[in-house]
Amino acid sequence: MPDDRAATMAAGRLSFNNITALAPMVRVGTLPMRLLALDYGADVVYCEELIDIKMAQCQRVVNDVLETVDFVAPDDRVMFRTCEREKGNVVFQMGTADPDRALAVARLVEKDVAAVDVNMGCPKEYSTKGGMGAALLSDPDKIEAILRTLVTGVSIPVTCKIRILPSLVETVSLVRRIERTGVAAVAVHGRFKDERPRHPVHCDYIQAVAQAVSIPVIANGGSLDHVKTNADIEEFRKATGASSVMLARAAMWNASLFRSQGALPLEKVMEDYLKYAIQYDNNAFNTKYCLCQMLRDKVESPLGKQVQAAQTNAEISEAYGLQEFYRQTREQLQARRDALQSGSQPERPVTDGDVTTMAVKFERREYPPQITPKMFLLEWSRKEKVEQPQYETVQRAQDRAFQSTVTVAQKKYRSSLWEKSKKFAEQAAAIVCLRVLGVPEGRIGEEDSGLVCKRKREGKVNGAAEEERSRKRHVNDDLQQTSEVAVVTNGDSHQEAPPPSQRESL
């Protein structure tokens, strides 16, 4: 098959003639795998099936740090992440049983993808129980309504992916009806709804469909018996008479199958995949799942066991000897975030509801090793005989960054910039409070305020231990004054070691 990526485009629109595609695969078709497949020679890549109800609740967010476009759910989960590299080649596949919802989702993503596809072939319960996936095959009227609504409602090509019906006549009849809706192509998985990958693919059904319609037909289902090498892709296309070929499991096991020069060693493929996962901050459990699929029967090898035991991308990187790549990438992303934040937000107090905010970051190098802003704020609170500072910290799922709010004298303070750790977020909140109050914060070169004694400033005691000692003295003072038990929610959280997922965060 010609390796001419430009041939997939026609007048600025994605063409499905004579292409090889990465099939939509749940938990596999995320951004790292799609980019990997494109690197190796795939012409078109499909994302995993994403359910319309969940996608319709998402907000489109430009992620300037990762240089991606993220579709973020109300709970801050990134449901779909894409980037400029794949914009002209990625097909967004949705699970839907409702024309209006399908259109809402398609319009949400249409500026960021090359085409939209409707899943009409998935036989799994999570898809069929809502009338989606293969359940649609028994409701051709609904199929037609969904596809016509999409074709007339968006500016990009619309396709669908089906399974074959119990008879050849029924299958051909359905695909002809689908063609009349105006779709750009139809992918045909050559198995019946109740068949699984272990069953042979029915090439004759795909061939009959290809002969019956004029739109491109994409053959799918050949990973078991037909496609073992890149050359086999063309043989499968010929055997089915289809315009194009879509690969699922064969590509999942080794995406370099798309290379016309021949497949690469699995170790190299896994390393390339992991680099993309690190670069685009892929969910660690998704990264681990995909690597385990590639390992297949080697999943119980020493490497496989190390991957399975890993809980973060940092730990997965260690298994593959990519610790330095991981470290450098995280530093680059953090530097990009810092530059974006410092350049976009002024360092002045702003009222956000009942919280006073400033765009400040905690820079460890600006303070003596034994001194922190939290220590100064604690000492100031003790001197002023107000309740000790209370810190409340949240973590953003989108990039796992942290933001803390400190309450002092019944007023709240917070940095508008997100930090790489819970500890740094609390320090940044303390800085905001101290600056708004006009209180010194302990930076190097700052005039001695007397808040922290000379012995502490010169480092003759451990700063963290002294902060804890000071906090306890403050609590004891409060107890003596009020004869009540003070409740400390987070006053000493700087001593806590963050879990692995938080240590990984930018």
Side-chain angles (χ1 to χ4, degrees):
M1 195 173 294
D3 188 19
D4 182 5
R5 193 69 54 83
T8 66
M9 304 299 292
R13 288 168 64 88
L14 186 64
S15 169
F16 294 89
N17 269 310
N18 201 32
I19 57 108
T20 56
L22 176 71
M25 289 178 280
V26 173
R27 294 190 298 277
V28 175
T30 48
L31 183 58
M33 183 63 78
R34 300 197 305 267
L35 293 178
L36 190 68
L38 288 174
D39 282 353
Y40 290 152
D43 300 299
V44 176
V45 290
Y46 286 67
C47 75
E48 61 179 332
E49 176 193 20
L50 294 166
I51 307 302
D52 60 354
I53 295 176
K54 294 180 180 179
M55 280 298 301
Q57 300 172 18
C58 289
Q59 292 290 324
R60 180 184 183 273
V61 178
V62 176
N63 188 328
D64 290 319
V65 175
L66 296 178
E67 297 180 337
T68 60
V69 175
D70 298 342
F71 292 85
V72 184
D75 62 0
D76 282 340
R77 282 187 303 158
V78 177
M79 301 300 297
F80 175 60
R81 172 168 286 163
T82 186
C83 66
E84 189 67 26
R85 164 77 175 86
E86 68 169 0
K87 185 174 182 179
N89 307 91
V90 64
V91 179
F92 178 89
Q93 189 190 65
M94 73 176 82
T96 185
D98 182 87
D100 293 332
R101 270 203 309 268
L103 181 59
V105 172
R107 285 178 171 169
L108 178 66
V109 302
E110 74 173 309
K111 293 182 179 179
D112 301 296
V113 300
V116 292
D117 180 86
V118 179
N119 184 340
M120 300 181 181
C122 181
K124 299 294 181 66
E125 183 182 357
Y126 67 79
S127 188
T128 59
K129 67 182 179 182
M132 302 176 292
L136 285 171
L137 296 175
S138 59
D139 194 346
D141 289 340
K142 183 173 286 186
I143 288 177
E144 184 174 345
I146 292 171
L147 294 178
R148 285 193 184 278
T149 299
L150 289 173
V151 168
T152 58
V154 295
S155 59
I156 55 178
V158 175
T159 64
C160 66
K161 183 172 182 286
I162 69 166
R163 283 191 172 228
I164 57 177
L165 297 177
S167 75
L168 196 56
V169 172
E170 291 175 282
T171 305
V172 170
S173 176
L174 175 63
V175 177
R176 282 176 171 163
R177 188 167 179 179
I178 288 172
E179 180 183 30
R180 290 194 293 271
T181 66
V183 295
V186 59
V188 180
H189 184 158
R191 291 186 177 88
F192 301 119
K193 185 167 66 172
D194 59 348
E195 289 186 323
R196 293 298 177 265
R198 66 181 180 274
H199 296 105
V201 64
H202 300 274
C203 292
D204 55 334
Y205 273 67
I206 302 176
Q207 189 175 59
V209 168
Q211 292 173 350
V213 296
S214 59
I215 58 174
V217 171
I218 307 170
N220 177 232
S223 293
L224 177 66
D225 300 318
H226 294 269
V227 182
K228 308 297 181 185
T229 68
N230 182 267
D232 294 337
I233 298 174
E234 176 63 12
E235 293 304 312
F236 182 52
R237 188 187 71 80
K238 290 178 179 178
T240 58
S243 304
S244 301
V245 171
M246 174 185 283
L247 298 176
R249 288 171 306 133
M252 174 182 72
W253 295 328
N254 189 329
S256 68
L257 185 70
F258 288 111
R259 293 181 78 240
S260 58
Q261 308 95 316
L264 295 171
L266 182 60
E267 293 74 15
K268 169 64 174 170
V269 175
M270 290 192 292
E271 183 177 304
D272 288 349
Y273 168 83
L274 183 53
K275 286 181 177 179
Y276 271 133
I278 294 168
Q279 182 180 344
Y280 288 100
D281 197 25
N282 196 50
N283 178 278
F285 292 98
N286 179 255
T287 301
K288 181 164 71 172
Y289 176 85
C290 291
L291 289 169
C292 286
Q293 298 307 304
M294 296 182 210
L295 284 165
R296 299 180 72 188
D297 57 352
K298 297 179 181 178
V299 75
E300 294 301 325
S301 67
L303 174 60
K305 289 180 179 179
Q306 191 174 356
V307 172
Q308 291 184 74
Q311 297 296 305
T312 66
N313 279 333
E315 293 174 357
I316 299 172
S317 301
E318 185 175 347
Y320 286 88
L322 291 176
Q323 303 99 310
E324 184 62 17
F325 178 85
Y326 177 85
R327 184 191 64 78
Q328 291 178 357
T329 302
R330 302 303 287 184
E331 288 181 355
Q332 290 167 4
L333 293 176
Q334 184 62 45
R336 192 181 299 164
R337 174 188 285 142
D338 291 347
L340 288 166
Q341 290 183 334
S342 63
S344 62
Q345 302 188 54
E347 192 175 320
R348 56 183 175 78
V350 176
T351 301
D352 181 7
D354 63 341
V355 183
T356 300
T357 70
M358 290 179 67
V360 300
K361 293 187 72 66
F362 173 63
E363 299 288 353
R364 176 70 267 185
R365 64 181 179 274
E366 294 181 0
Y367 300 84
Q370 69 280 4
I371 295 296
T372 67
K374 283 184 66 179
M375 181 187 295
F376 265 65
L377 183 57
L378 189 62
E379 292 290 352
W380 178 87
S381 301
R382 184 168 180 265
K383 179 181 177 182
E384 297 297 320
K385 300 186 184 302
V386 299
E387 291 186 7
Q388 67 171 331
Q390 303 290 314
Y391 295 87
E392 182 180 355
T393 305
V394 297
Q395 185 179 24
R396 185 168 60 186
Q398 178 183 340
D399 58 3
R400 299 196 292 278
F402 293 84
Q403 189 177 61
S404 186
T405 301
V406 62
T407 301
V408 177
Q410 299 182 336
K411 294 184 178 180
K412 298 180 179 179
Y413 306 87
R414 174 173 69 220
S415 173
S416 57
L417 307 183
W418 293 73
E419 291 278 7
K420 64 182 179 181
S421 70
K422 181 172 180 286
K423 176 180 175 181
F424 275 38
E426 290 177 349
Q427 298 291 358
I431 293 171
V432 173
C433 179
L434 290 165
R435 291 185 185 179
V436 171
L437 294 173
V439 178
E441 61 197 65
R443 283 190 292 183
I444 294 172
E446 196 174 73
E447 185 176 339
D448 184 9
S449 64
L451 275 178
V452 176
C453 69
K454 182 179 180 182
R455 188 168 63 97
K456 297 175 190 174
R457 292 187 65 89
E458 291 178 351
K460 294 180 181 178
V461 295
N462 177 271
E466 180 58 32
E467 188 175 340
E468 166 64 5
R469 209 171 292 133
S470 178
R471 183 192 70 80
K472 289 181 177 178
R473 286 199 303 271
H474 191 175
V475 172
N476 290 334
D477 289 347
D478 288 345
L479 286 172
Q480 291 172 4
Q481 291 174 12
T482 64
S483 299
E484 296 178 356
V485 178
V487 179
V488 180
T489 59
N490 203 20
D492 190 35
S493 60
H494 69 282
Q495 301 258 353
E496 299 173 2
S501 63
Q502 294 179 7
R503 290 199 300 269
E504 174 191 9
S505 304
L506 283 175

